[in-house]
Amino acid sequence: MTTQEQHDPVGWEYSPAPEQIKVHIEPKNKLFINGAFVSPKSRSWFSTINPSNEQKLADIACAGKADVNNAVLAAKKALPKWSKMCGSVRAKYLYRIARRIQERARELAILETMDGGKPIKESRDVDIPLAAQHFFYYAGWADKLEYAFPGRSISPVGVCAQIIPWNFPLLMAAWKLAPALACGNTCILKPAETTSLTALRLAEIIQEVGLPEGVVNIVTGAGDTGKILAEHKTVNKVAFTGSTEVGKLLMRSTAGSGKKLTLELGGKSANIIFADAAIDQAVEGIISGIYFNQGHVCCAGSRLFVEESIVSEVIQKLKHRLQSLRVGDPLDKNTDLGAINSKAQLKTVQQYIRTGVDEGAEFHEVHQDRLPSKGYWCNPCFFTEVQPSHTIAREEIFGPVLSVMTFRTPQEALTRANNSPYGLAAGIWTDKGSKIFEMAKQIDAGVVWCNTYNKFDAASPFGGFKESGFGREGGMQGLRPYIRLQNTSGRMK
Ligand code: NAD
Ligand code: MN
């Protein structure tokens, strides 16, 4: 074996191909309140780093009580005019935001990758285009709301507190803001503390398009800022995407307050491969199911169920395919898996891997010897000999770690897939349409992908059952959380 083949089991060699555009990052990033960038009254700042090299990128303002209060009051003040504005005029602002996201796409993709660690090919081809698509899509609804809810009188919910995670930062901001604005609400968005930069660029875009001041406010900070925001008494609605743990806290804190709440939480989704499936395509589906975005995907297909008769073939093909995945510099367009988002998340993932080994599952990993010495890295890996009672088969890992299990009959696949406190997504791979429909009907999951995985579209609703949360984002259904409906008796719902 030559040295090159030892380093690269498939014998491929790429030259580095990093993005060449330099993106300017302000050293200090202020809060966006009432149409202006303002220093935090809290006088507190925190730093955000690039998880692929641990270098500091910038300081970010940490919003305290007074700052959150100002943002909420700005949203409250902007509400009457914005909510009464003709829908077609609101739509024009949303179209403008969508177009500016497209125009600034390169810059946004690079920033997303630097701040969060995801590969540039994903931020460039998935996150940013989908974020623009959501604004385009909901712009289309803004003047047609009465057709979405025929025969009902509709009004916006009011001031919306929107709290988002770090795995799809700009996209999650778009999922939250676009439908809320289309329906005439005003918003306070809180990005996750490790990935605030693209939300703040969105604030710039919002200024550029001349959105009336106070309609969107962006407050940065960690969990404390989120808590203050969600508990503010002037807030009419809380929309949260993140962990089930924080989701439960928010349910408690909003109970009895009259606030509307939607939760998009974690998952432990089943990806089910039948013996009659196209195996090579299914293996690609495993890859996009769990290794996409380093497994930082709430709907990741983290539990793989393979029909027993084909399990050795699937595992052999999976191992082969894993050898050609490249882990490394997220800004390199050849990179398949970038950095884990934070040191804390890397620790969590590593702890789950140790637990998997300790509980007796068999660990498989393809070593990549090119990993940089700095940064938070995890090789794509999987476990076989996994029992349903194992921690790695039950709990969300949120990393590139797959648990492989087997089944003999469709009924067994169904029972095992549904044996989870979560119910976000599922994948089914089979040649038989009838099997797809039978399975899809009975799986407790908000999204079921058939002969594909992790496909998203603004027109298609997304959301969970059970501990994965409630409420839908995307599609016509995504309007409902941001609307109050009045029925003939005049009662609001
Ligand atoms: P997290 O719940 O800790 O944080 C999410 C957001 O909530 C962040 O902005 C954080 O600052 C804020 N937050 C933290 N504590 C808070 C509190 N007490 N009150 C209010 N806000 C608070 O989650 P995370 O670890 O950052 O993100 C990963 C989790 O998010 C995973 O469990 C994943 O499944 C889930 N997720 C779900 C979806 C979905 O659509 N269902 C999408 C992405 C991520
Ligand atoms: Mn960061």
Side-chain angles (χ1 to χ4, degrees):
M1 224 191 229
T2 65
T3 331
Q4 186 192 321
E5 278 165 346
Q6 277 165 1
H7 279 265
D8 189 342
V10 227
W12 293 347
E13 199 46 80
Y14 293 88
S15 300
E19 286 283 335
Q20 296 297 343
I21 296 176
K22 282 262 176 291
V23 174
H24 175 73
I25 302 175
E26 287 294 328
K28 273 185 148 24
N29 294 269
K30 299 176 178 177
L31 307 169
F32 184 64
I33 297 177
N34 205 29
F37 286 94
V38 295
S39 290
K41 295 252 182 292
S42 66
R43 295 169 183 238
S44 157
W45 302 80
F46 62 97
S47 50
T48 192
I49 63 157
N50 179 336
S52 75
N53 57 23
E54 298 173 52
Q55 273 169 17
K56 178 174 165 176
L57 293 172
D59 280 321
I60 311 279
C62 180
K65 224 172 178 155
D67 302 301
V68 170
N69 189 48
N70 286 344
V72 173
L73 295 185
K76 173 90 180 161
K77 197 170 116 226
L79 184 64
K81 218 169 151 192
W82 179 251
S83 60
K84 288 189 189 72
M85 191 180 275
C86 177
S88 60
V89 182
R90 281 204 304 270
K92 281 186 197 166
Y93 288 107
L94 293 182
Y95 280 125
R96 274 189 221 154
I97 294 172
R99 283 197 300 268
R100 275 311 274 158
I101 291 175
Q102 288 183 321
E103 284 160 8
R104 294 179 68 169
R106 282 304 271 280
E107 168 198 356
L108 291 166
I110 290 168
L111 267 183
E112 203 74 301
T113 284
M114 289 175 75
D115 203 9
K118 64 170 57 195
I120 188 73
K121 69 174 175 194
E122 279 171 23
S123 37
R124 183 195 62 200
D125 299 345
V126 181
D127 294 65
I128 310 302
L130 272 179
Q133 194 201 32
H134 267 80
F135 279 102
F136 276 122
Y137 176 80
Y138 282 106
W141 275 117
D143 61 349
K144 302 174 194 71
L145 295 173
E146 65 264 42
Y147 299 100
F149 305 99
R152 314 287 292 275
S153 127
I154 51 178
S155 56
V157 173
V159 173
C160 302
Q162 306 182 311
I163 300 170
I164 56 173
W166 41 260
N167 57 345
F168 292 90
L170 187 71
L171 182 58
M172 289 298 119
W175 278 28
K176 294 275 178 289
L177 291 172
L181 297 177
C183 296
N185 300 276
T186 57
C187 305
I188 309 100
L189 177 80
K190 196 206 77 68
E193 52 273 34
T194 54
T195 53
S196 309
L197 290 177
T198 48
L200 293 168
R201 294 288 155 128
L202 183 60
E204 281 180 26
I205 289 176
I206 283 165
Q207 266 188 334
E208 286 170 358
V209 307
L211 191 76
E213 54 193 38
V215 171
V216 171
N217 306 274
I218 299 182
V219 292
T220 43
D224 289 343
T225 306
K227 186 170 184 301
I228 298 168
L229 175 60
E231 290 176 4
H232 197 292
K233 58 180 187 323
T234 307
V235 163
N236 302 113
K237 167 170 177 78
V238 177
F240 173 78
T241 298
S243 58
T244 297
E245 191 188 341
V246 174
K248 286 179 180 173
L249 291 175
L250 290 172
M251 259 196 111
R252 278 191 213 111
S253 71
T254 53
S257 68
K259 285 175 193 163
K260 280 178 75 127
L261 176 68
T262 37
L263 299 175
E264 299 273 3
L265 308 175
K268 191 75 187 175
S269 300
N271 201 0
I272 303 167
I273 304 183
F274 286 98
D276 60 10
I279 306 289
D280 290 338
Q281 278 97 317
V283 170
E284 283 311 305
I286 301 172
I287 300 288
S288 60
I290 183 69
Y291 302 119
F292 170 58
N293 199 21
Q294 300 75 245
H296 297 338
V297 184
C298 49
C299 47
S302 53
R303 289 184 299 151
L304 179 68
F305 294 101
V306 186
E307 193 162 343
E308 208 169 77
S309 58
I310 54 161
V311 71
S312 54
E313 183 186 357
V314 168
I315 285 175
Q316 183 224 326
K317 287 190 165 172
L318 177 62
K319 277 185 177 160
H320 180 74
R321 181 66 179 85
L322 281 180
Q323 287 177 345
S324 61
L325 282 185
R326 298 179 67 93
V327 185
D329 181 2
L331 277 178
D332 190 319
K333 60 190 169 208
N334 295 326
T335 292
D336 297 300
L337 275 84
I340 299 293
N341 181 268
S342 66
K343 194 174 189 170
Q345 186 60 28
L346 179 61
K347 271 197 175 151
T348 305
V349 175
Q350 288 168 337
Q351 182 58 46
Y352 273 115
I353 292 176
R354 275 194 297 275
T355 306
V357 173
D358 289 349
E359 291 182 1
E362 194 179 325
F363 183 58
H364 307 262
E365 175 186 36
V366 176
H367 272 287
Q368 304 240 349
D369 39 22
R370 287 189 199 80
L371 291 184
S373 54
K374 283 250 166 164
Y376 312 130
W377 306 101
C378 181
N379 282 317
C381 58
F382 67 94
F383 281 97
T384 53
E385 308 300 323
V386 180
Q387 300 301 320
S389 59
H390 283 168
T391 307
I392 54 166
R394 290 183 291 112
E395 295 183 13
E396 182 179 48
I397 301 176
F398 225 57
V401 187
L402 176 70
S403 296
V404 184
M405 291 166 276
T406 60
F407 66 90
R408 289 186 189 163
T409 63
Q411 189 51 49
E412 190 189 353
L414 197 59
T415 310
R416 299 190 67 180
N418 283 342
N419 180 17
S420 166
Y422 293 112
L424 195 51
I428 302 168
W429 299 81
T430 167
D431 194 34
K432 296 272 182 302
S434 55
K435 224 186 252 172
I436 288 176
F437 287 118
E438 265 318 295
M439 294 291 291
K441 264 196 305 200
Q442 298 178 69
I443 288 184
D444 295 332
V447 180
V448 182
W449 284 292
C450 301
N451 293 329
T452 188
Y453 207 95
N454 269 340
K455 289 278 185 292
F456 301 93
D457 192 277
S460 163
F462 183 90
F465 290 111
K466 301 195 277 187
E467 289 196 17
S468 293
F470 49 81
R472 292 292 177 265
E473 293 185 304
M476 194 174 80
Q477 293 81 351
L479 297 167
R480 184 63 187 90
Y482 293 102
I483 287 283
R484 281 189 208 278
L485 291 178
Q486 206 167 355
N487 58 24
T488 40
S489 69
R491 290 226 344 242
M492 300 285 252
K493 269 171 81 185

